[in-house]
Amino acid sequence: MKYNSQSMKKEKIELDPECKSHIRGVRDTIYLLDGKWKTIIISHLYYTGKMRFMDLKRQIDGIAAKTLSKELKVLEMNNLVKRTQNNTMPVTVDYELTEFGKSLQGIIDTMGEWGIKYRKELLQNE
């Protein structure tokens, strides 16, 4: 018995332009905040405000200086974090969220609230 490969394929569900745009936005957000550290860095800067590099490193458990530096560069390149080099000896650098970075407030708050509920749910079921 032979199978027609075309008859075996399922049709792709066609989404309206608004749904496609929303899904593309979700994909772009995930791409921008990809990885283990970016959202954590943004959260710390969101809740504490401007921070020096070493203060930020001390706040984030388990992050290596090289990783923090790399992630901050990516966040700066994407206009989420502003880097300010101070005229001090030795040179110090401050990091803070840009206005665009601050616009992630709703996402950070929602993630935090959901994470608190999730942790309670897990502990309740043990």
Side-chain angles (χ1 to χ4, degrees):
M1 182 182 220
K2 292 184 179 179
Y3 291 100
N4 183 342
S5 62
Q6 290 183 345
S7 67
M8 297 288 291
K9 292 181 181 178
K10 291 188 177 186
E11 289 186 34
K12 186 175 179 181
I13 298 170
E14 194 58 42
L15 300 173
D16 65 49
E18 185 178 341
C19 290
K20 283 182 180 180
S21 176
H22 189 79
I23 291 169
R24 187 178 322 116
V26 170
R27 187 177 334 130
D28 290 346
T29 303
I30 289 170
Y31 177 78
L32 187 61
L33 301 177
D34 183 39
K36 180 177 177 179
W37 299 110
K38 288 182 189 81
T39 308
I40 301 296
I41 293 166
I42 291 167
S43 297
H44 276 280
L45 293 172
Y46 168 66
Y47 288 113
T48 61
K50 187 185 293 189
M51 292 184 80
R52 290 196 174 146
F53 181 87
M54 287 308 294
D55 294 333
L56 189 54
K57 184 184 176 316
R58 276 190 284 276
Q59 288 294 314
I60 303 174
D61 292 331
I63 194 167
K66 184 177 179 178
T67 302
L68 178 58
S69 178
K70 179 179 122 301
E71 297 290 28
L72 284 167
K73 284 178 185 173
V74 171
L75 292 170
E76 183 182 12
M77 183 181 70
N78 285 294
N79 196 32
L80 297 174
V81 170
K82 177 183 172 189
R83 178 185 190 273
T84 305
Q85 187 170 324
N86 302 309
N87 263 346
T88 56
M89 286 305 275
V91 173
T92 57
V93 177
D94 292 323
Y95 293 92
E96 62 186 313
L97 292 178
T98 62
E99 287 305 311
F100 187 58
K102 290 176 185 175
S103 72
L104 290 166
Q105 173 184 353
I107 293 171
I108 299 301
D109 287 342
T110 301
M111 287 175 73
E113 290 165 9
W114 188 90
I116 290 167
K117 289 177 188 174
Y118 174 72
R119 184 172 291 272
K120 284 181 184 175
E121 180 73 22
L122 274 182
L123 294 174
Q124 186 177 14
N125 291 329
E126 287 185 2

